Amino acid sequence: MLAKRIIPCLDIKDGRTVKGVNFVNLRDAGDPVELGAKYSQAGADELVFLDITATHERRKTLADLARDIARHLNIPFTIGGGIRALEDVHVLLDAGADKVAVNSAAVRRPELIDELAYAFGNQFVVLAVDAKLVDGEWYVHLNGGRIKTDQKLYDWVGEAQERGAGEILFTSMDHDGTKAGFANEALARMSEQLSIPIIASGGAGSKEHFAEVFTDGKADAGLAASIFHFGEVEIADLKDYLSGRGVPVRPVSR
């Protein structure tokens, strides 16, 4: 069985790492360059960098900041935010990205997924999906969760896989920042539907929640922000806990 991945996420706004609850009430969580280096040394399997205001404010991803972060890493690095065309991706590759995450632009123009997969390979393309339960149905939301669409979650991730997405990064807006656990039912359904890996995001509050997302939720990776940023859970301790529960993880070098 493939090792489950632990992925800290750096949500960036105005050059700083921030974290909120249900996509609002953001608070400062530190310098992204320092945090990236810390997580790389602490045993994280990958790192995700999302410029959470890039699409909303019509800005390109902060490539200079991404370059600074990448310089301090020895683990795979995904960058997202404001990516609308192949030219944007070339900039991010030069900045040190191993993968790119696309979200709003792909919903508005799904052909973007095909173009990226053809140009760079499926393994390079991560589809980030922000979704919320509305009247019992999961609907995709855009621009950092500000805009509800008519696109249903399971239809969209299925189409994305067919178009060439190599991975799904699913964030439950209902669970984001609550520390009440991941959206395991939705994750398990997607895992059974798709053949590509699924990264679970939104709701991590304890080591137990990670064990649940890998078993009940059938996720391939667990992503979290605030519990790592504010020192509530250490990555090495989390991996020891998961290993003890029979969840396969990559060991941390000590």
Side-chain angles (χ1 to χ4, degrees):
M1 184 183 294
L2 289 175
K4 303 294 187 179
R5 291 170 286 150
I6 304 299
I7 306 177
C9 180
L10 303 178
D11 292 326
I12 309 297
K13 184 177 189 294
D14 301 326
R16 297 288 292 179
T17 307
V18 296
K19 188 59 194 145
V21 177
N22 302 132
F23 283 44
V24 296
N25 299 324
L26 301 178
R27 61 173 171 151
D28 189 273
D31 177 75
V33 176
E34 293 178 3
L35 285 172
K38 169 189 166 185
Y39 294 139
S40 182
Q41 296 164 5
D45 297 299
E46 296 184 19
L47 191 69
V48 169
F49 160 39
L50 298 175
D51 183 1
I52 61 173
T53 52
T55 301
H56 178 58
E57 298 175 4
R58 299 284 188 259
R59 290 186 288 107
K60 300 299 184 185
T61 298
L62 305 177
D64 288 343
L65 179 59
R67 190 173 290 107
D68 288 341
I69 295 173
R71 201 175 290 133
H72 295 81
L73 299 184
N74 57 10
I75 54 177
F77 183 30
T78 300
I79 305 175
I83 297 170
R84 301 181 186 87
L86 295 181
E87 308 85 74
D88 299 327
V89 175
H90 285 294
V91 172
L92 297 177
L93 277 173
D94 290 341
D98 296 282
K99 294 182 272 190
V100 295
V102 292
N103 189 334
S104 298
V107 176
R108 293 190 172 101
R109 193 173 69 84
E111 295 79 15
L112 177 62
I113 300 173
D114 303 74
E115 294 165 6
L116 294 176
Y118 181 78
F120 303 106
N122 302 59
Q123 76 285 352
F124 188 78
V125 184
V126 178
L127 179 74
V129 182
D130 300 329
K132 185 179 178 67
L133 263 178
V134 181
D135 297 327
E137 287 269 12
W138 285 95
Y139 284 94
V140 175
H141 286 60
L142 304 183
N143 289 40
R146 296 174 181 85
I147 301 172
K148 177 186 174 293
T149 73
D150 293 327
Q151 182 71 267
K152 294 183 179 180
L153 171 64
Y154 304 114
D155 293 341
W156 175 227
V157 296
E159 179 181 345
Q161 175 175 272
E162 290 177 8
R163 288 183 177 276
E167 202 160 19
I168 301 293
L169 167 53
F170 165 66
T171 300
S172 165
M173 295 175 59
D174 298 306
H175 294 71
D176 176 71
T178 65
K179 301 182 184 179
F182 293 92
N184 291 323
E185 186 176 338
L187 287 160
R189 178 169 169 180
M190 279 187 284
S191 179
E192 291 164 2
Q193 173 189 352
L194 305 176
S195 60
I196 57 177
I198 298 170
I199 304 170
S201 170
S206 68
K207 300 172 191 174
E208 290 79 8
H209 291 155
F210 279 91
E212 291 165 1
V213 82
F214 292 137
T215 52
D216 300 341
K218 302 180 181 179
D220 299 278
L223 179 146
S226 58
I227 64 167
F228 295 142
H229 298 340
F230 302 117
E232 298 166 39
V233 173
E234 297 296 332
I235 292 172
D237 294 340
L238 173 58
K239 287 193 167 186
D240 285 345
Y241 171 81
L242 292 171
S243 182
R245 294 287 296 267
V247 177
V249 292
R250 296 184 184 92
V252 176
S253 299
R254 289 181 168 89

